[in-house]
Every structure is written in structure tokens, then in C-alpha cells.
Coordinates of all heavy atoms in Angstrom, one line a residue:
M1 N -19.4 179.1 -25.9 CA -20.2 178.0 -25.4 C -20.2 178.1 -23.8 O -19.3 178.6 -23.2 CB -19.6 176.7 -25.8 CG -19.5 176.4 -27.2 SD -18.9 174.8 -27.6 CE -20.4 173.9 -27.8
I2 N -21.2 177.6 -23.3 CA -21.4 177.6 -21.9 C -21.3 176.2 -21.4 O -22.0 175.3 -21.9 CB -22.7 178.2 -21.4 CG1 -22.8 179.7 -21.9 CG2 -22.9 178.1 -19.9 CD1 -24.2 180.3 -21.7
F3 N -20.4 175.9 -20.4 CA -20.2 174.6 -19.8 C -20.6 174.6 -18.4 O -20.6 175.6 -17.7 CB -18.7 174.2 -19.9 CG -18.2 174.2 -21.3 CD1 -17.4 175.2 -21.8 CD2 -18.4 173.1 -22.1 CE1 -16.8 175.2 -23.0 CE2 -17.9 173.1 -23.4 CZ -17.1 174.1 -23.9
S4 N -21.0 173.4 -17.9 CA -21.2 173.3 -16.5 C -19.9 173.4 -15.8 O -18.8 173.3 -16.3 CB -21.9 171.9 -16.2 OG -20.9 170.9 -16.4
R5 N -20.0 173.6 -14.5 CA -18.8 173.8 -13.6 C -17.9 172.5 -13.7 O -16.7 172.6 -13.9 CB -19.2 174.1 -12.2 CG -18.1 174.2 -11.2 CD -18.6 174.6 -9.8 NE -17.6 174.4 -8.8 CZ -16.5 175.0 -8.6 NH1 -16.1 175.9 -9.4 NH2 -15.7 174.8 -7.5
A6 N -18.5 171.3 -13.7 CA -17.8 170.1 -13.7 C -17.0 170.0 -15.0 O -15.8 169.6 -15.1 CB -18.7 168.9 -13.5
I7 N -17.7 170.3 -16.1 CA -17.0 170.2 -17.4 C -15.9 171.3 -17.5 O -14.8 171.0 -18.0 CB -18.0 170.4 -18.6 CG1 -19.1 169.3 -18.6 CG2 -17.3 170.5 -19.9 CD1 -18.5 167.9 -18.9
A8 N -16.2 172.5 -17.1 CA -15.2 173.5 -17.1 C -13.9 173.1 -16.3 O -12.8 173.3 -16.8 CB -15.7 174.8 -16.6
L9 N -14.1 172.5 -15.2 CA -13.0 172.1 -14.3 C -12.2 171.0 -15.0 O -10.9 171.0 -15.0 CB -13.4 171.7 -13.0 CG -14.0 172.8 -12.0 CD1 -14.6 172.2 -10.8 CD2 -12.9 173.8 -11.7
R10 N -12.9 170.1 -15.7 CA -12.2 169.0 -16.4 C -11.4 169.6 -17.5 O -10.2 169.2 -17.8 CB -13.2 168.0 -16.9 CG -13.7 167.1 -15.8 CD -14.8 166.1 -16.3 NE -14.2 165.2 -17.2 CZ -14.9 164.3 -17.8 NH1 -16.2 164.2 -17.7 NH2 -14.3 163.4 -18.6
M11 N -11.9 170.6 -18.3 CA -11.2 171.2 -19.4 C -10.0 172.0 -18.9 O -8.9 171.9 -19.5 CB -12.2 172.1 -20.2 CG -13.2 171.3 -21.0 SD -14.3 172.4 -21.8 CE -13.2 173.2 -23.0
I12 N -10.1 172.7 -17.8 CA -9.0 173.4 -17.2 C -7.9 172.5 -16.8 O -6.7 172.7 -17.1 CB -9.5 174.3 -16.0 CG1 -10.3 175.4 -16.5 CG2 -8.3 174.8 -15.2 CD1 -11.0 176.2 -15.4
D13 N -8.3 171.4 -16.2 CA -7.3 170.3 -15.8 C -6.6 169.8 -17.0 O -5.4 169.6 -17.0 CB -8.0 169.3 -14.9 CG -7.0 168.2 -14.4 OD1 -6.0 168.6 -13.8 OD2 -7.3 167.0 -14.7
Y14 N -7.4 169.4 -18.0 CA -6.8 168.8 -19.2 C -5.8 169.7 -19.9 O -4.7 169.4 -20.2 CB -7.9 168.4 -20.2 CG -7.4 167.9 -21.5 CD1 -7.0 166.5 -21.6 CD2 -7.3 168.7 -22.6 CE1 -6.5 166.0 -22.8 CE2 -6.8 168.2 -23.8 CZ -6.4 166.9 -23.9 OH -5.9 166.4 -25.1
F15 N -6.2 171.0 -20.1 CA -5.3 171.9 -20.8 C -4.2 172.5 -20.0 O -3.3 173.1 -20.5 CB -6.2 173.0 -21.4 CG -7.0 172.6 -22.6 CD1 -8.3 172.4 -22.5 CD2 -6.4 172.2 -23.8 CE1 -9.1 172.0 -23.6 CE2 -7.1 171.8 -24.9 CZ -8.5 171.7 -24.8
S16 N -4.2 172.3 -18.7 CA -3.2 172.9 -17.8 C -2.1 171.8 -17.6 O -1.0 172.2 -17.1 CB -3.7 173.3 -16.5 OG -4.2 172.2 -15.7
Q17 N -2.3 170.6 -18.1 CA -1.2 169.6 -17.9 C -0.1 169.9 -18.9 O -0.3 170.3 -20.0 CB -1.8 168.2 -18.2 CG -2.8 167.7 -17.2 CD -3.4 166.4 -17.6 OE1 -2.9 165.7 -18.5 NE2 -4.5 166.0 -17.0
A18 N 1.2 169.6 -18.4 CA 2.3 169.9 -19.2 C 2.4 168.9 -20.3 O 2.1 167.7 -20.2 CB 3.6 169.8 -18.3
L19 N 2.8 169.4 -21.5 CA 3.0 168.5 -22.6 C 4.4 167.9 -22.6 O 5.3 168.5 -22.1 CB 2.8 169.3 -23.9 CG 1.4 170.0 -24.2 CD1 1.5 170.8 -25.4 CD2 0.4 168.9 -24.3
P20 N 4.5 166.7 -23.1 CA 5.8 166.1 -23.1 C 6.8 166.9 -24.0 O 6.3 167.4 -25.0 CB 5.6 164.7 -23.7 CG 4.2 164.7 -24.3 CD 3.5 165.8 -23.6
A21 N 8.0 166.9 -23.6 CA 9.0 167.7 -24.4 C 9.1 167.2 -25.8 O 9.3 168.0 -26.8 CB 10.4 167.7 -23.7
A22 N 9.1 165.9 -26.0 CA 9.2 165.3 -27.3 C 8.3 164.0 -27.4 O 8.2 163.3 -26.4 CB 10.6 164.9 -27.7
V23 N 7.7 163.8 -28.5 CA 7.0 162.6 -28.7 C 7.9 161.4 -28.8 O 8.9 161.5 -29.6 CB 6.1 162.7 -29.9 CG1 5.3 161.4 -30.2 CG2 5.1 163.9 -29.8
P24 N 7.7 160.4 -28.0 CA 8.6 159.2 -28.1 C 8.6 158.6 -29.5 O 7.5 158.5 -30.1 CB 8.2 158.3 -27.0 CG 6.8 158.7 -26.6 CD 6.7 160.2 -27.0
Q25 N 9.7 158.2 -29.9 CA 9.8 157.6 -31.3 C 9.2 156.2 -31.2 O 9.5 155.4 -30.3 CB 11.2 157.5 -31.7 CG 11.4 157.1 -33.1 CD 12.8 157.1 -33.5 OE1 13.7 156.9 -32.7 NE2 13.1 157.3 -34.8
A26 N 8.3 155.9 -32.2 CA 7.7 154.5 -32.3 C 8.8 153.5 -32.7 O 9.5 153.8 -33.7 CB 6.5 154.5 -33.2
F27 N 8.9 152.5 -32.1 CA 9.8 151.4 -32.4 C 11.3 151.9 -32.6 O 11.8 151.8 -33.7 CB 9.3 150.6 -33.7 CG 7.9 150.3 -33.6 CD1 7.0 150.9 -34.5 CD2 7.4 149.4 -32.7 CE1 5.6 150.6 -34.4 CE2 6.1 149.1 -32.6 CZ 5.2 149.7 -33.5
P28 N 11.9 152.4 -31.5 CA 13.2 153.0 -31.6 C 14.3 151.9 -32.0 O 15.4 152.3 -32.5 CB 13.5 153.5 -30.2 CG 12.6 152.7 -29.3 CD 11.4 152.4 -30.2
E29 N 14.0 150.6 -31.9 CA 14.9 149.6 -32.3 C 15.1 149.5 -33.8 O 16.1 148.9 -34.3 CB 14.5 148.3 -31.7 CG 13.3 147.6 -32.3 CD 12.0 148.1 -31.7 OE1 12.0 149.0 -30.8 OE2 10.9 147.6 -32.0
L30 N 14.2 150.1 -34.5 CA 14.3 150.1 -36.0 C 15.0 151.3 -36.5 O 14.9 152.4 -36.0 CB 12.9 150.0 -36.6 CG 12.1 148.8 -36.4 CD1 10.7 149.0 -37.0 CD2 12.7 147.6 -36.9
S31 N 15.8 151.1 -37.6 CA 16.4 152.3 -38.2 C 15.3 153.1 -38.9 O 14.2 152.5 -39.2 CB 17.5 151.8 -39.2 OG 16.9 151.2 -40.3
E32 N 15.6 154.3 -39.3 CA 14.7 155.1 -40.1 C 14.3 154.4 -41.4 O 13.1 154.4 -41.7 CB 15.2 156.5 -40.3 CG 14.3 157.4 -41.1 CD 12.9 157.6 -40.3 OE1 12.9 157.7 -39.1 OE2 11.9 157.8 -41.0
R33 N 15.2 153.8 -42.1 CA 14.9 153.1 -43.3 C 14.0 151.9 -43.1 O 13.1 151.7 -43.9 CB 16.2 152.6 -44.0 CG 16.0 151.9 -45.3 CD 15.4 152.9 -46.3 NE 14.9 152.1 -47.4 CZ 13.7 152.3 -48.0 NH1 12.9 153.2 -47.6 NH2 13.2 151.5 -49.0
E34 N 14.2 151.2 -42.0 CA 13.3 150.1 -41.7 C 11.9 150.5 -41.4 O 10.9 149.9 -41.8 CB 13.9 149.2 -40.5 CG 15.1 148.5 -40.8 CD 15.7 147.8 -39.6 OE1 15.8 148.5 -38.6 OE2 16.2 146.7 -39.7
R35 N 11.8 151.6 -40.7 CA 10.5 152.2 -40.4 C 9.8 152.6 -41.7 O 8.6 152.4 -41.9 CB 10.6 153.4 -39.4 CG 10.7 152.9 -38.0 CD 10.5 154.1 -37.0 NE 11.5 155.1 -37.2 CZ 12.7 155.1 -36.6 NH1 13.1 154.1 -35.9 NH2 13.6 156.1 -36.8
E36 N 10.5 153.2 -42.6 CA 10.0 153.6 -43.9 C 9.5 152.4 -44.7 O 8.4 152.5 -45.2 CB 11.0 154.4 -44.7 CG 11.3 155.8 -44.2 CD 12.5 156.4 -45.0 OE1 12.8 156.0 -46.1 OE2 13.0 157.4 -44.5
R37 N 10.3 151.4 -44.7 CA 9.9 150.1 -45.4 C 8.6 149.6 -44.8 O 7.7 149.2 -45.5 CB 11.0 149.1 -45.2 CG 12.1 148.9 -46.2 CD 11.5 148.3 -47.5 NE 12.4 148.7 -48.6 CZ 13.5 148.1 -49.0 NH1 13.8 146.9 -48.4 NH2 14.2 148.6 -49.9
E38 N 8.5 149.5 -43.5 CA 7.3 149.0 -42.8 C 6.1 149.8 -43.1 O 5.0 149.3 -43.4 CB 7.5 148.8 -41.3 CG 8.4 147.6 -41.0 CD 8.4 147.2 -39.6 OE1 7.7 147.8 -38.8 OE2 9.0 146.1 -39.3
R39 N 6.3 151.2 -43.2 CA 5.2 152.0 -43.5 C 4.8 151.8 -45.0 O 3.6 151.8 -45.3 CB 5.6 153.5 -43.3 CG 5.4 153.9 -41.9 CD 5.6 155.4 -41.7 NE 6.9 155.9 -42.1 CZ 7.8 156.1 -41.2 NH1 7.6 155.9 -39.9 NH2 9.0 156.6 -41.6
E40 N 5.7 151.6 -45.9 CA 5.4 151.4 -47.3 C 4.6 150.1 -47.4 O 3.6 150.0 -48.1 CB 6.7 151.2 -48.1 CG 7.4 152.5 -48.4 CD 8.7 152.3 -49.1 OE1 8.6 152.1 -50.4 OE2 9.8 152.3 -48.5
I41 N 5.1 149.0 -46.7 CA 4.4 147.7 -46.8 C 3.0 147.9 -46.2 O 2.0 147.3 -46.7 CB 5.2 146.7 -46.1 CG1 6.5 146.4 -46.9 CG2 4.4 145.4 -45.9 CD1 7.5 145.5 -46.2
L42 N 2.9 148.5 -45.1 CA 1.6 148.7 -44.4 C 0.6 149.5 -45.4 O -0.5 149.1 -45.5 CB 1.7 149.5 -43.1 CG 0.5 149.6 -42.3 CD1 -0.2 148.3 -42.0 CD2 0.8 150.4 -41.0
D43 N 1.1 150.5 -46.1 CA 0.3 151.2 -47.0 C -0.2 150.3 -48.1 O -1.4 150.3 -48.5 CB 1.1 152.4 -47.7 CG 1.2 153.5 -46.7 OD1 0.5 153.6 -45.7 OD2 2.1 154.4 -47.0
L44 N 0.7 149.4 -48.6 CA 0.3 148.5 -49.7 C -0.7 147.4 -49.2 O -1.6 147.0 -49.9 CB 1.6 147.8 -50.2 CG 2.5 148.7 -51.0 CD1 3.8 148.0 -51.3 CD2 1.9 149.2 -52.3
I45 N -0.5 147.0 -47.9 CA -1.5 146.1 -47.3 C -2.8 146.7 -47.3 O -3.9 146.2 -47.6 CB -1.0 145.6 -45.9 CG1 0.2 144.7 -46.0 CG2 -2.2 144.9 -45.2 CD1 0.9 144.5 -44.6
A46 N -2.9 148.0 -46.8 CA -4.1 148.8 -46.7 C -4.8 148.9 -48.1 O -6.0 149.0 -48.1 CB -3.8 150.1 -46.1
Q47 N -4.0 149.0 -49.1 CA -4.5 149.1 -50.5 C -5.0 147.8 -51.0 O -5.6 147.7 -52.1 CB -3.5 149.7 -51.4 CG -3.1 151.1 -51.1 CD -1.9 151.5 -51.9 OE1 -1.6 151.0 -53.0 NE2 -1.2 152.6 -51.4
G48 N -4.8 146.7 -50.2 CA -5.4 145.4 -50.6 C -4.4 144.5 -51.4 O -4.8 143.4 -51.9
H49 N -3.1 144.9 -51.4 CA -2.1 144.0 -52.1 C -1.8 142.8 -51.3 O -1.7 142.9 -50.0 CB -0.8 144.8 -52.4 CG -1.1 145.9 -53.3 ND1 -1.2 145.8 -54.7 CD2 -1.2 147.3 -53.1 CE1 -1.3 146.9 -55.3 NE2 -1.4 147.9 -54.4
K50 N -1.5 141.7 -51.9 CA -1.1 140.4 -51.3 C 0.4 140.5 -51.2 O 1.1 141.2 -51.9 CB -1.5 139.2 -52.1 CG -3.0 139.2 -52.4 CD -3.8 138.9 -51.1 CE -5.3 138.7 -51.4 NZ -6.1 139.1 -50.3
N51 N 1.0 139.6 -50.4 CA 2.4 139.5 -50.1 C 3.2 139.4 -51.5 O 4.2 140.1 -51.7 CB 2.8 138.3 -49.2 CG 2.3 138.6 -47.8 OD1 1.8 139.6 -47.5 ND2 2.5 137.6 -47.0
A52 N 2.8 138.5 -52.4 CA 3.5 138.3 -53.6 C 3.5 139.6 -54.4 O 4.5 139.9 -55.1 CB 2.8 137.2 -54.4
E53 N 2.3 140.3 -54.4 CA 2.3 141.6 -55.2 C 3.2 142.6 -54.6 O 3.9 143.3 -55.3 CB 0.8 142.1 -55.2 CG -0.2 141.2 -55.9 CD -1.6 141.7 -55.6 OE1 -1.9 142.2 -54.5 OE2 -2.4 141.4 -56.5
I54 N 3.3 142.6 -53.3 CA 4.2 143.6 -52.6 C 5.6 143.2 -52.9 O 6.4 144.1 -53.2 CB 3.9 143.6 -51.1 CG1 2.5 144.1 -50.7 CG2 5.0 144.4 -50.3 CD1 2.1 143.9 -49.3
A55 N 6.0 142.0 -52.9 CA 7.3 141.5 -53.2 C 7.7 141.9 -54.6 O 8.9 142.1 -54.9 CB 7.5 140.0 -52.9
N56 N 6.8 141.8 -55.5 CA 7.1 142.1 -56.9 C 7.2 143.5 -57.3 O 7.5 143.9 -58.5 CB 6.1 141.3 -57.8 CG 6.3 139.9 -57.8 OD1 7.4 139.4 -57.7 ND2 5.2 139.1 -57.9
R57 N 6.9 144.4 -56.4 CA 7.0 145.8 -56.7 C 8.5 146.2 -56.8 O 9.3 145.9 -55.9 CB 6.3 146.7 -55.6 CG 4.8 146.4 -55.5 CD 4.2 147.3 -54.6 NE 4.1 148.7 -55.1 CZ 3.1 149.2 -55.8 NH1 2.1 148.4 -56.2 NH2 3.0 150.4 -56.2
N58 N 8.8 146.8 -57.9 CA 10.2 147.1 -58.2 C 10.9 148.0 -57.2 O 12.1 147.7 -56.9 CB 10.4 147.7 -59.6 CG 10.0 146.7 -60.7 OD1 10.2 145.5 -60.5 ND2 9.5 147.3 -61.8
R59 N 10.3 148.9 -56.7 CA 11.0 149.9 -55.8 C 11.3 149.3 -54.4 O 12.2 149.8 -53.8 CB 10.2 151.2 -55.7 CG 8.9 151.1 -54.9 CD 8.4 152.4 -54.6 NE 7.5 152.2 -53.5 CZ 6.3 152.8 -53.4 NH1 5.9 153.7 -54.2 NH2 5.6 152.5 -52.3
L60 N 10.6 148.3 -54.0 CA 10.8 147.7 -52.7 C 12.0 146.7 -52.7 O 12.7 146.6 -51.8 CB 9.6 147.0 -52.2 CG 8.5 147.9 -51.7 CD1 7.3 147.1 -51.2 CD2 8.9 148.9 -50.6
V61 N 12.1 146.0 -53.8 CA 13.2 145.0 -54.0 C 13.3 144.1 -52.8 O 14.3 144.0 -52.2 CB 14.6 145.7 -54.3 CG1 15.6 144.7 -54.7 CG2 14.4 146.8 -55.3
L62 N 12.2 143.4 -52.5 CA 12.1 142.5 -51.4 C 11.6 141.1 -51.9 O 10.8 141.1 -52.8 CB 11.2 142.9 -50.3 CG 11.5 144.2 -49.6 CD1 10.4 144.7 -48.7 CD2 12.8 144.1 -48.8
G63 N 12.2 140.0 -51.3 CA 11.6 138.7 -51.6 C 10.3 138.5 -50.9 O 10.0 139.2 -49.9
E64 N 9.6 137.5 -51.4 CA 8.3 137.3 -50.8 C 8.4 136.8 -49.4 O 7.6 137.2 -48.5 CB 7.5 136.2 -51.6 CG 6.1 136.1 -51.2 CD 5.3 135.2 -52.1 OE1 5.7 134.9 -53.2 OE2 4.2 134.8 -51.7
R65 N 9.4 136.0 -49.0 CA 9.6 135.6 -47.7 C 9.9 136.8 -46.7 O 9.4 136.9 -45.6 CB 10.8 134.6 -47.6 CG 10.9 134.0 -46.3 CD 11.9 132.9 -46.3 NE 12.0 132.2 -45.0 CZ 12.8 131.3 -44.7 NH1 13.6 130.8 -45.6 NH2 12.8 130.7 -43.5
T66 N 10.7 137.8 -47.2 CA 11.0 139.0 -46.5 C 9.7 139.8 -46.2 O 9.5 140.3 -45.1 CB 12.0 139.8 -47.2 OG1 13.2 139.1 -47.4 CG2 12.4 141.1 -46.4
V67 N 8.9 139.9 -47.3 CA 7.6 140.6 -47.1 C 6.8 139.9 -46.1 O 6.2 140.5 -45.2 CB 6.9 140.7 -48.5 CG1 5.5 141.2 -48.3 CG2 7.6 141.6 -49.4
R68 N 6.7 138.6 -46.1 CA 5.9 137.8 -45.1 C 6.4 138.1 -43.7 O 5.6 138.3 -42.8 CB 6.1 136.3 -45.5 CG 4.8 135.6 -45.5 CD 4.8 134.1 -45.7 NE 6.1 133.5 -45.9 CZ 6.6 133.0 -47.0 NH1 5.9 133.0 -48.1 NH2 7.8 132.5 -47.0
N69 N 7.7 138.1 -43.5 CA 8.3 138.4 -42.2 C 7.9 139.8 -41.8 O 7.6 140.1 -40.6 CB 9.8 138.2 -42.2 CG 10.2 136.8 -42.3 OD1 9.4 135.9 -42.0 ND2 11.4 136.5 -42.8
R70 N 8.1 140.8 -42.7 CA 7.8 142.2 -42.4 C 6.3 142.3 -42.0 O 5.9 143.0 -41.1 CB 8.1 143.1 -43.6 CG 9.6 143.1 -43.9 CD 10.2 144.4 -43.5 NE 11.6 144.4 -43.9 CZ 12.4 145.3 -43.6 NH1 12.0 146.4 -42.9 NH2 13.6 145.3 -44.0
V71 N 5.4 141.7 -42.8 CA 4.0 141.8 -42.5 C 3.7 141.2 -41.1 O 2.9 141.8 -40.4 CB 3.2 141.0 -43.6 CG1 1.7 140.9 -43.2 CG2 3.3 141.8 -44.9
S72 N 4.3 140.1 -40.8 CA 4.2 139.5 -39.5 C 4.6 140.5 -38.4 O 3.9 140.6 -37.4 CB 4.9 138.2 -39.4 OG 4.8 137.6 -38.1
N73 N 5.7 141.1 -38.6 CA 6.2 142.1 -37.6 C 5.3 143.3 -37.5 O 5.0 143.7 -36.4 CB 7.6 142.6 -38.0 CG 8.7 141.6 -37.9 OD1 8.6 140.6 -37.1 ND2 9.8 141.8 -38.6
I74 N 4.8 143.7 -38.6 CA 3.8 144.9 -38.6 C 2.6 144.5 -37.8 O 2.1 145.2 -36.9 CB 3.5 145.3 -40.0 CG1 4.7 146.0 -40.7 CG2 2.3 146.3 -40.0 CD1 4.5 146.2 -42.2
M75 N 2.0 143.3 -38.1 CA 0.8 142.9 -37.4 C 1.0 142.7 -35.9 O 0.1 143.0 -35.1 CB 0.3 141.6 -38.0 CG -0.2 141.7 -39.5 SD -1.5 143.0 -39.6 CE -1.6 143.2 -41.4
S76 N 2.2 142.2 -35.5 CA 2.4 142.1 -34.1 C 2.5 143.4 -33.4 O 2.1 143.5 -32.2 CB 3.7 141.2 -33.8 OG 4.8 141.9 -34.2
K77 N 3.0 144.4 -34.1 CA 3.1 145.8 -33.5 C 1.7 146.4 -33.4 O 1.4 147.2 -32.5 CB 4.0 146.6 -34.3 CG 5.4 146.2 -34.2 CD 6.3 147.0 -35.1 CE 7.7 146.4 -35.1 NZ 8.6 147.1 -36.1
L78 N 0.8 146.1 -34.4 CA -0.5 146.7 -34.4 C -1.3 146.0 -33.3 O -2.2 146.6 -32.8 CB -1.2 146.5 -35.8 CG -0.5 147.3 -36.9 CD1 -1.2 147.0 -38.2 CD2 -0.6 148.8 -36.6

């Protein structure tokens, strides 16, 4: 491809920047298990499940109030 001088300089600048050594961990205050739980709940929300349906899923073993709190936490982070 042929780029204008301005575009070429912007691309050189962009690709010459140093990459961070490590990607910062999202929500470091949460344990890995808590992050997994929140991801599971977020996936279920995305699939259209209501809080009561999420709470009744056997593998999560969460009460409806806990699910409500987790959903609230997830929404505030988003």
C-alpha cells in the first residue's frame, strides 16, 4: 500500500512506541475466583438471564441477593 507522508509518519510513531511489559490486571482487588464468578454472571446476563434464573443455576450456588449485588458491581465497573 502507498501512504501519504503524514500517514506514514503517524504509523511509524505508533509502531515505534514501547509496549508495556505487562497488561495491568483488571480489578486487582478481586481474587481470581471472584473475577471468574463475575465473568460467569456477566455471560449469563448477556444471554438474557434474569437474576433469579442466574441464582438458580446449580453450578454457581449463589442466592438471588448475592447475584443482585454482583450484577450491581459488574454494572458499576462497566
